[in-house]
Each structure stands twice: as C-alpha cells, then as structure tokens.
Amino acid sequence: MYEDKTLVCKECGNEFVFTAGEQEFYAERGFANEPQRCKACRDARKQNQRTDREMFTAVCANCGKEAKVPFRPREDRPVYCSECFAKMKEEQ
C-alpha cells in the first residue's frame, strides 16, 4: 500500500521521511497534502505560535486567584483559573 517517502523540509532544507504509517494516518483524516516541514520545524513553529498569543489577567470566579487567559474577559461571564476549570470539568 504505502511506502516511506523522503521529502525535503521547506523550512530548514533537510530531508525527512514521510513514513507509510504517517501516510495512512493522513489518508484516514482526509488530508490531501503531504507535510512540508520536518517534525523539528513543525514543533518549533507550533511553539512560536503559542508564545505569540496575547494573554489577559483575570480574577478566578471560584478561588479568587489571579489567572492568565488567552481571551479578553467579559464582565458578564465568569473566568476560572486552570486548577478550578479542571476541577469543574472533572465534576461534569
């Protein structure tokens, strides 16, 4: 069915292997395009996108601690810190 392919990363120019298993995964998910970056460059790109995100300060509606959130808090909606949010998810 699938055979390993050697591709060239458009970011760093190094060769990387697009394995048969990865190709099967892509096909199952309906992805039409092959990856254009090696794993190291994909991971670095994801990390850079996360750190560029603007964070806002809010007060947790449950415990009162300061919380950093990736959205602008609104007065009409409660905001929870990570710990309280996780606890609430467990209880549901």
Side-chain angles (χ1 to χ4, degrees):
M1 296 248 308
Y2 297 102
E3 291 184 22
D4 291 357
K5 287 184 183 179
T6 301
L7 303 176
V8 177
C9 177
K10 78 175 196 177
E11 196 84 19
C12 66
N14 291 332
E15 291 184 347
F16 66 97
V17 177
F18 185 34
T19 67
E22 290 170 331
Q23 291 174 51
E24 189 173 348
F25 174 83
Y26 271 51
E28 286 173 1
R29 299 294 186 282
F31 301 146
N33 300 323
E34 295 178 342
Q36 296 190 9
R37 292 176 180 82
C38 64
K39 177 145 176 50
C41 288
R42 284 195 313 266
D43 291 345
R45 187 175 163 96
K46 286 179 192 174
Q47 189 63 34
N48 286 340
Q49 288 177 342
R50 284 190 200 123
T51 58
D52 292 346
R53 185 180 250 184
E54 183 179 1
M55 299 298 277
F56 299 90
T57 303
V59 176
C60 177
N62 192 41
C63 69
K65 291 182 191 174
E66 185 177 287
K68 297 277 188 188
V69 294
F71 56 88
R72 187 179 307 277
R74 296 183 356 201
E75 295 296 323
D76 63 332
R77 307 233 5 179
V79 175
Y80 301 101
C81 67
S82 299
E83 294 170 11
C84 292
F85 187 76
K87 287 178 190 173
M88 290 173 59
K89 287 290 238 183
E90 287 176 6
E91 293 172 2
Q92 291 180 351

